[in-house]
Amino acid sequence: MTGLALDTNGCPSGLAPPSGSDTSDPAAFVRKVGKQSRLSLTVRGAKCGGCLSRIEGAVSALPGVESARLNLSSGKLEIAWSGNLEPRRISEAVSSLGYGVAPLNTATEDDGHKKEEQSLLLAMGVAGFATANIMLLSVSVWGGHEEMGEATRQGLHALSGVIALPTLIYSGRPFFRSAWNVLKKRRTNMDVPISLALILAFSVSVAETLRGGEHAYFDAACMLLFFLLIGRFLDARVRRRAWSAARDLAALASRTVMRIGADGAPVSARAEDIRPGDSILLAPGERAVVDMVIEGGESEVDESLVTGESLPRWTGTGMKLMAGAINLSQPLTGRATAAAADSLLAEISQMLTAGEQKRSAYRQIADKAVSLYVPLVHSTALLTFLGWWLVGGMGLREAILVAVSTLIITCPCALALAAPVVQVVAAGRLFRGGAYLKSGDALERIAACDHVIFDKTGTLTLGTPRLVSTGIPAALIGDAAQLARASRHPLSRALTAAAGPGPLGTDVKERPGLGLEGMVGGVACRLGSAEWTGAAATGHVGATLFFARGEEAPVELRFEDDIQGDAAGMLAKLSAMGMTMEIVSGDRAEAVAEVARALGIDQWTAGASPQDKVARLEALQAQGRKVFMVGDGLNDAGALALAHASAAPGGALDVSQSAADAVYSGGLAPLPRLVKTARTAKAVMLQNFGFAAAYNLVAVPIAVLGHATPLVAAIAMSGSSIVVCLNALRINLNTEKAV
């Protein structure tokens, strides 16, 4: 049996244990900016100002380093240097201080989505500013209708045109570009009639201004553009958030792996370069990014993010280790059993993709509506023009104005705003209540759910064990904590949290699967299992540690993962809304059964793998149930993506938060509020769609019959958009009552 000798390195406050000295080579992640080399690292175990000064000082002392900045909150260390400094020396400088370190891939896959959102926001701001200024000029024309001379009116129209032209060119680009792209392919979309309406409204206004006409419609063109951009911006924001799941999972997998070469020396390699059969070194504190079989060493691994098991398990030669597990104590060597693309992380990625494809059914309905809407609008405007010009005896100019009014009045502003504005109002309401809405169509799906599946650890329970033993002297807990501070084991961390900052024992060694031993105050002590400390079994089925000081009798320390304080109230409220519930967890049967019994949940499943959770979802969906999944682990990510709707707590892994439709904080109380708000929002959306349809049924005949000028059409269109927005604001009133 081997042990890992732990020194006094690491956080000087004792709030985090020191890490081992093994580290991966970050050379593959170095970025070249001119003559300067830059590198981003993730540092584990840095908790206080002392850590910051030690790490920055050690790295800055390396030759050629020009800057080294550590963010304690995020653990991100940014280094810039010039010269021939090997990146490995930077990692070694940090790890030699007792901190875990790994390269950080700073590539951001959603930069394009962010730029699109920012571009739309700027375009919307320009259009809004131009609309406000042109409306001021228009009010002057309307107010001076009787007294204003023709030259003054024509000058104000010309000034409006000067403002409108660059506005249309700049702010109208998203619609013009989209329309041109589909027209080149001999297809059409909703941006074609929008672009046509904008161009015709501006062209007619220019013609009217040149001929000294009484009316120009620059205000109508800019107002139309402004309201269209509002809907387009809201839609872009919602879509960008939906992309974050794949980005976060890719970030989790894009790490370096220490591959052992033929000469036995470890060499840094990207995870995607690993092939089945490659020999791998997994250092303490590192996360496995490919599935592997252990061939050397023994250690404890944290698989809570993969299986949901709340306590670490011992692993040794011949045992399998899944991608996503974290090595806690000693170096492990193993052989890859699958490439990164075929590992468990990749399978979960495929589940996320399947979930996204499933959700696109709503977009398909929208696309179908557009495919019917566009030719209908074109045909109506064209027939209106031809009817009035060829049959109705109207002049060419007047017939064009009627056709333009028809195009403007049928622009889908109210339709485009009907869902996004409700989502934004509901999202704001939920945010104030502790829930963050992430998916565009989540509200409709959450509203339809009738069954809830809960993960246990970190969802119904706090996810972190707490020392619950009473009557134990504080001095004894303090002595035990001097050993516990050297370990990453969750129970050791719980004991450290109970004792607070303090010193570390001397000559502390950790025995995987057994516990710790070392000197405390000159006395040999042990902390760990009953077998390790020589204690008699007590029959307690919960989490337990024993502390033996010298020849004294071992003392039992019990821990519990507490149930969330508001769990029972949350379940009662969801039940009152007609929802049924069950627990599906990867944890031990005893732990799951105890939580289910305490909360009165009859249906529960223990030891469930990620695939088992997905299978349970599919079985329920085959029965016609609409499942609302609530979970926090990596093993929940696939189920969160495939569920009809889902939510994750704020402390969940990034991948799980991204895969969920909503993220909540402040306990479980936001969940009933989320369901209540979603049901109200769905009702308001249906009202908005109904109003948009009624508006077109009334307004289109008026425009076709020639009773609306382009300005009246623009005002009617804008009015319909305002009504939709005001109706959406009712969500704040309808959900004000406490849920």
Side-chain angles (χ1 to χ4, degrees):
M1 183 177 294
T2 61
L4 176 65
L6 300 167
D7 54 28
T8 55
N9 275 337
C11 179
S13 68
L15 294 177
S19 298
S21 59
D22 292 308
T23 182
S24 57
D25 187 351
F29 290 84
V30 173
R31 311 184 300 277
K32 285 290 185 182
V33 181
K35 295 182 179 179
Q36 196 177 57
S37 300
R38 296 181 182 178
L39 178 64
S40 299
L41 298 174
T42 297
V43 178
R44 301 182 300 274
K47 300 292 183 182
C48 64
C51 299
L52 188 144
S53 60
R54 292 177 67 192
I55 293 171
E56 289 187 350
V59 175
S60 298
L62 294 173
V65 173
E66 298 173 357
S67 68
R69 295 288 181 270
L70 173 65
N71 185 319
L72 272 182
S73 301
S74 62
K76 184 177 180 181
L77 176 62
E78 295 282 359
I79 310 102
W81 74 95
S82 57
N84 299 321
L85 176 66
E86 294 183 8
R88 170 184 282 278
R89 292 187 60 187
I90 299 174
S91 295
E92 290 174 347
V94 178
S95 63
S96 64
L97 297 174
Y99 299 96
V101 61
L104 176 65
N105 192 346
T106 58
T108 55
E109 297 182 4
D110 66 340
D111 281 353
H113 298 279
K114 285 184 179 178
K115 288 180 180 177
E116 179 193 6
E117 187 179 315
Q118 292 169 353
S119 175
L120 287 171
L121 180 62
L122 188 58
M124 185 176 68
V126 170
F129 181 76
T131 300
N133 283 277
I134 294 176
M135 286 302 293
L136 286 176
L137 298 174
S138 298
V139 168
S140 300
V141 173
W142 301 336
H145 181 69
E146 300 292 338
E147 298 84 7
M148 184 177 289
E150 181 177 342
T152 304
R153 184 178 64 244
Q154 192 169 2
L156 291 177
H157 283 164
L159 184 57
S160 297
V162 169
I163 299 174
L165 178 60
T167 302
L168 257 63
I169 293 175
Y170 178 78
S171 299
R173 290 177 303 162
F175 305 101
F176 299 149
R177 190 162 45 224
S178 171
W180 177 243
N181 288 336
V182 295
L183 288 175
K184 285 192 298 184
K185 300 175 182 175
R186 298 182 178 180
R187 296 168 57 190
T188 185
N189 62 12
M190 197 175 287
D191 290 334
V192 174
I194 289 174
S195 300
L196 193 59
L198 291 171
I199 293 172
L200 284 177
F202 180 80
S203 300
V204 168
S205 300
V206 171
E208 287 294 303
T209 302
L210 292 177
R211 63 177 289 274
E214 189 174 343
H215 300 291
Y217 308 105
F218 298 113
D219 45 8
C222 288
M223 186 188 301
L224 173 65
L225 185 59
F226 175 60
F227 277 94
L228 288 167
L229 283 168
I230 292 176
R232 193 61 58 93
F233 168 74
L234 295 176
D235 181 63
R237 167 161 287 193
V238 172
R239 283 189 292 110
R240 182 173 70 83
R241 289 172 178 173
W243 274 91
S244 55
R247 179 201 63 197
D248 291 339
L249 188 58
L252 187 65
S254 62
R255 296 166 182 258
T256 55
V257 178
M258 295 297 287
R259 180 166 53 193
I260 301 176
D263 58 353
V267 179
S268 176
R270 288 183 176 272
E272 57 265 31
D273 295 333
I274 297 299
R275 296 291 177 267
D278 284 353
S279 186
I280 295 171
L281 171 65
L282 188 65
E286 280 193 340
R287 184 190 303 276
V289 295
V290 296
D291 300 340
M292 57 191 291
V293 172
I294 305 302
E295 293 187 330
E298 54 184 34
S299 180
E300 286 186 302
V301 294
D302 179 359
E303 295 181 318
S304 58
L305 295 178
V306 180
T307 66
E309 170 62 52
S310 55
L311 295 178
R313 73 175 176 94
W314 174 86
T315 187
T317 302
M319 301 181 70
K320 292 182 179 179
L321 194 63
M322 306 301 290
I326 301 174
N327 181 18
L328 291 180
S329 54
Q330 298 195 62
L332 292 170
T333 58
R335 192 164 298 279
T337 58
D342 300 321
S343 68
L344 180 63
L345 290 180
E347 289 184 22
I348 293 174
S349 177
Q350 292 168 3
M351 294 177 192
L352 291 173
T353 303
E356 285 297 321
Q357 291 172 346
K358 181 181 177 182
R359 291 172 185 181
S360 67
Y362 290 85
R363 295 166 194 164
Q364 292 173 3
I365 294 173
D367 292 342
K368 183 65 176 177
V370 169
S371 66
L372 297 174
Y373 180 84
V374 173
L376 182 63
V377 169
H378 282 166
S379 301
T380 303
L382 180 61
L383 290 175
T384 301
F385 167 71
L386 294 176
W388 280 111
W389 187 37
L390 300 178
V391 180
M394 190 176 279
L396 177 63
R397 170 180 167 273
E398 289 76 14
I400 290 176
L401 285 177
V402 174
V404 170
S405 299
T406 304
L407 277 175
I408 292 177
I409 217 164
T410 54
C411 272
C413 288
L415 192 63
L417 288 173
V421 76
V422 170
Q423 291 169 358
V424 170
V425 172
R429 164 70 182 161
L430 290 170
F431 183 77
R432 293 191 295 274
Y436 174 65
L437 198 63
K438 299 182 71 271
S439 176
D441 56 358
L443 290 169
E444 302 104 289
R445 289 182 285 104
I446 293 174
C449 288
D450 56 5
H451 186 76
V452 188
I453 290 181
F454 290 101
D455 177 45
K456 182 189 74 68
T457 306
T459 304
L460 290 175
T461 66
L462 295 174
T464 53
R466 180 177 61 87
L467 180 64
V468 296
S469 296
T470 58
I472 299 177
L476 186 141
I477 293 177
D479 289 347
Q482 292 197 38
L483 298 183
R485 291 190 182 96
S487 173
R488 297 179 182 278
H489 194 286
L491 299 186
S492 294
R493 304 321 305 162
L495 184 56
T496 300
L504 183 68
T506 56
D507 297 329
V508 181
K509 295 181 180 179
E510 187 166 15
R511 307 286 185 178
L514 296 175
L516 299 130
E517 64 178 352
M519 303 299 290
V520 177
V523 180
C525 299
R526 283 188 170 185
L527 177 69
S529 64
E531 174 192 2
W532 177 241
T533 57
T538 61
H540 179 63
V541 297
T544 301
L545 283 179
F546 290 89
F547 177 63
R549 177 185 172 88
E551 299 300 325
E552 299 175 8
V555 177
E556 184 182 27
L557 304 170
R558 294 184 177 182
F559 300 82
E560 288 184 0
D561 184 7
D562 291 337
I563 295 175
Q564 301 263 11
D566 51 2
M570 176 273 298
L571 294 175
K573 290 177 180 176
L574 290 180
S575 180
M577 294 180 192
M579 306 186 81
T580 54
M581 287 150 277
E582 70 173 286
I583 301 174
V584 179
S585 171
D587 208 345
R588 295 167 292 119
E590 305 84 40
V592 180
E594 177 61 23
V595 172
R597 183 197 60 76
L599 294 176
I601 298 177
D602 298 327
Q603 180 72 36
W604 58 270
T605 304
S609 67
Q611 293 84 348
D612 293 336
K613 295 191 176 188
V614 170
R616 178 57 182 162
L617 276 175
E618 292 174 343
L620 287 166
Q621 288 168 351
Q623 299 170 13
R625 307 300 299 271
K626 305 292 187 185
V627 179
F628 184 45
M629 177 74 197
V630 185
D632 70 322
L634 181 60
N635 59 330
D636 299 317
L640 288 168
L642 285 166
H644 194 71
S646 56
L653 190 67
D654 288 347
V655 175
S656 300
Q657 290 188 26
S658 298
D661 296 306
V663 176
Y664 61 90
S665 61
L668 295 165
L671 289 177
R673 190 177 301 117
L674 178 62
V675 176
K676 173 67 175 177
T677 302
R679 292 180 176 179
T680 302
K682 182 181 179 181
V684 174
M685 279 188 202
L686 293 176
Q687 293 169 6
N688 280 350
F689 283 127
F691 171 78
Y695 158 77
N696 280 286
L697 286 175
V698 174
V700 171
I702 293 175
V704 169
L705 294 174
H707 297 304
T709 65
L711 178 60
V712 172
I715 293 174
M717 180 277 302
S718 303
S720 67
S721 301
I722 293 172
V723 170
V724 165
C725 293
L726 291 175
N727 190 45
L729 291 175
R730 292 193 308 111
I731 293 175
N732 286 328
L733 302 177
N734 291 341
T735 55
E736 279 299 325
K737 294 180 179 178
V739 179

